[in-house]
Amino acid sequence: MTQADGAATAPPADEIVVSPKDVRRIAGAAFVGTALEWYDYFLFGTAAALVFNRLFFTELDPSAAVLASLATFGVGFAARPIGAFIFGVLGDRMGRRPTLVLTIVLIGIATGVIGLLPTYADIGLLAPALLVTLRLLQGLAVGGEWGGATTIAIEHAPVSQRARYAALVQVGSPVGTLMSSGAIALVLLFPPADFDAWAWRLPFLAAFPLLAIALWIRLKVEESPIFEDLVRLDQRAKVPALQVFTKAWGRLIVAVAAAFLGVGGFYVMNTFVVSYAANTLGVDRQVAVNATLIAAGAQIVVILLCGRLAERMGPGRVTFWGGILTAVAAAPLFWLIDTGSPLAITFAVTAGIALLTITYAVTGALLTELFPPELRYSGVSLGYNIAGALSGFLPFVATWLISLNEEPVSWPAVVILAIVSLITAAGGFFGERLRVRDKEIVQSA
């Protein structure tokens, strides 16, 4: 900042100066790491729906194998709150930057090693046991990754522009979907025998070179100026994750509710629909995978638009209306899917994911403003990942309920999606009224 005569002055005590170039670069680095994170995480979900049931749970009947595979997928969600607690403490005590480096290394290695696993035919029960272990490691890493990436991005940004930079981090999700679904779609072009024998491994092995790229980019990121301010003023919480539960539990409940649809609804419209279409309706699995690719493209547009919209309306209001719209659309979407028409399925998946993305686009902006800086990494991570733990088994629950009927019916998925949507609408309503204002970030020339 400068005076009119050009003499430099120190910024006011309630302002931190960051250049626009640094804000964009750090948000971009957060996006790249998050894209790799979701590539790794979504890849497992798609493989759980298409291949793990046949290669790692061979001794079970087909329906039980699908359920076991989806349960393994859900195990990663159960580990996420634990990872949020551990990495939240590290992020609020040690710093945002080193914690983010640690999480990206952990998830990249765990994903790559899945591509090296022997199957049930090779080592018996040890194969699914190792698969579950690696999924747990993925869950632990994701528990600390997204919250940290969002926190470091918004803590470099001016308060009035936080939603757009938080939205940029969210773009990592559809990009990760495009990468993972695209990788699966490519290897599905191999003959079925080759796909089962070795081709399914290639997308997982690709995590190793992708990790090297993401790590190189992330190591160039500077620490958050707001965290450095906390260190300078000795205002860091001793055990921040515990204080979230004891001093900010109401805000945590709102955060969980606000994040519920963006996480749980996505897995209903993505992982569950892929499994339901292929295994229950008998639709070619390539149709459902291609639908998720198109939906991911729509997600990117919705995220960028809603990030700007949240700067005008507030992220809580955007979350509220996104939840309401998705709840209303739940039944028509599954009616289209039940037709079995590839075109109808593609439209329903794209429309459904686009609608729930309205809330997902602003989840980062809303959650980061629910918690003060000294509790932020922990609060954001716990809120988002408790929502993930609660919703990670939704594909399993929907599949189990459907299996109880002799004829395929989609009403369990409709009810689940509608309830999750209304919970998130309530989270947006209350979240808008609880937002915390930080020190202003001022962009220098």
Side-chain angles (χ1 to χ4, degrees):
M1 299 178 64
T2 59
Q3 294 177 325
D5 61 3
T9 62
D14 61 346
E15 295 181 352
I16 298 174
V17 179
V18 178
S19 72
K21 181 179 179 181
D22 285 341
V23 176
R24 292 190 293 269
R25 179 170 52 80
I26 289 163
F31 154 74
V32 170
T34 304
L36 172 60
E37 168 206 3
W38 290 127
Y39 168 80
D40 294 343
Y41 210 67
F42 294 160
L43 183 62
F44 193 105
T46 305
L50 296 179
V51 67
F52 290 160
N53 56 312
R54 290 179 289 104
L55 298 184
F56 288 86
F57 302 97
T58 308
E59 293 300 302
L60 300 175
D61 67 69
S63 295
V66 171
L67 287 172
S69 182
L70 291 177
T72 303
F73 169 71
V75 162
F77 287 88
R80 282 169 60 168
I82 301 172
F85 189 98
I86 295 170
F87 292 112
V89 171
L90 294 177
D92 282 326
R93 291 291 303 172
M94 187 173 69
R96 299 10 176 165
R97 179 181 181 272
T99 306
L100 283 172
V101 170
L102 182 58
T103 58
I104 202 70
V105 169
L106 180 58
I107 194 170
I109 291 176
T111 303
V113 172
I114 290 173
L116 301 172
L117 279 184
T119 64
Y120 186 94
D122 299 317
I123 58 174
L125 289 174
L126 185 58
L130 290 173
L131 185 66
V132 170
T133 300
L134 291 170
R135 182 59 173 174
L136 284 170
L137 291 177
Q138 280 190 327
L140 289 173
V142 170
E145 163 64 28
W146 179 87
T150 302
T151 296
I152 201 169
I154 68 101
E155 287 187 344
H156 279 90
V159 171
S160 62
Q161 298 179 8
R162 280 183 167 180
R164 73 184 66 180
Y165 290 110
L168 181 60
V169 177
Q170 298 298 74
V171 172
S173 173
V175 169
T177 301
L178 284 169
M179 291 167 61
S180 61
S181 295
I184 290 290
L186 285 175
V187 295
L188 280 172
L189 297 176
F190 286 95
D194 290 339
F195 177 79
D196 286 355
W198 56 269
W200 70 268
R201 300 178 182 276
L202 298 179
F204 288 93
L205 295 174
F208 288 128
L210 290 174
L211 169 62
I213 296 170
L215 189 59
W216 176 70
I217 294 172
R218 186 157 281 184
L219 285 172
K220 296 184 176 183
V221 171
E222 290 86 2
E223 184 55 88
S224 154
I226 288 179
F227 177 79
E228 290 178 337
D229 216 24
L230 290 175
V231 174
R232 179 176 60 83
L233 299 173
D234 194 24
Q235 292 181 345
R236 286 174 292 175
K238 290 184 178 180
V239 189
L242 284 179
Q243 289 185 244
V244 170
F245 286 105
T246 58
K247 295 184 177 180
W249 59 268
R251 294 175 179 274
L252 180 61
I253 291 173
V254 172
V256 172
F260 205 17
L261 177 59
V263 184
F266 178 84
Y267 288 112
V268 171
M269 292 303 304
N270 186 309
T271 303
F272 167 75
V273 170
V274 169
S275 176
Y276 178 69
N279 300 310
T280 302
L281 299 180
V283 177
D284 187 334
R285 57 189 177 181
Q286 189 76 50
V287 171
V289 172
N290 289 345
T292 64
L293 285 170
I294 296 171
Q299 266 193 295
I300 294 173
V301 176
V302 173
I303 288 173
L304 295 176
L305 290 176
C306 288
R308 292 301 184 97
L309 181 63
E311 292 177 358
R312 294 175 177 269
M313 292 179 57
R317 293 186 183 91
V318 173
T319 299
F320 173 79
W321 287 110
I324 295 296
L325 290 172
T326 307
V328 170
L333 290 172
F334 276 94
W335 177 81
L336 288 171
I337 291 169
D338 283 338
T339 65
S341 162
L343 183 61
I345 291 173
T346 300
F347 177 81
V349 170
T350 302
I353 290 179
L355 284 171
L356 64 89
T357 298
I358 295 172
T359 66
Y360 182 76
V362 299
T363 298
L366 181 57
L367 266 60
T368 51
E369 293 192 336
L370 283 175
F371 300 95
E374 65 272 17
L375 303 178
R376 179 165 290 144
Y377 198 129
S378 295
V380 171
S381 297
L382 284 167
Y384 187 79
N385 289 293
I386 290 174
L390 293 173
S391 61
F393 289 96
L394 292 181
F396 170 86
V397 172
T399 302
W400 173 68
L401 290 173
I402 288 171
S403 71
L404 298 179
N405 296 275
E406 293 183 3
E407 296 294 328
V409 290
S410 61
W411 65 261
V414 173
V415 173
I416 288 171
L417 182 58
I419 291 174
V420 168
S421 300
L422 293 175
I423 290 173
T424 288
F429 179 83
F430 291 107
E432 186 64 30
R433 288 151 179 78
L434 293 173
R435 291 168 62 193
V436 173
R437 183 175 178 84
D438 280 352
K439 294 183 177 183
E440 181 63 80
I441 303 289
V442 178
Q443 290 189 343
S444 64

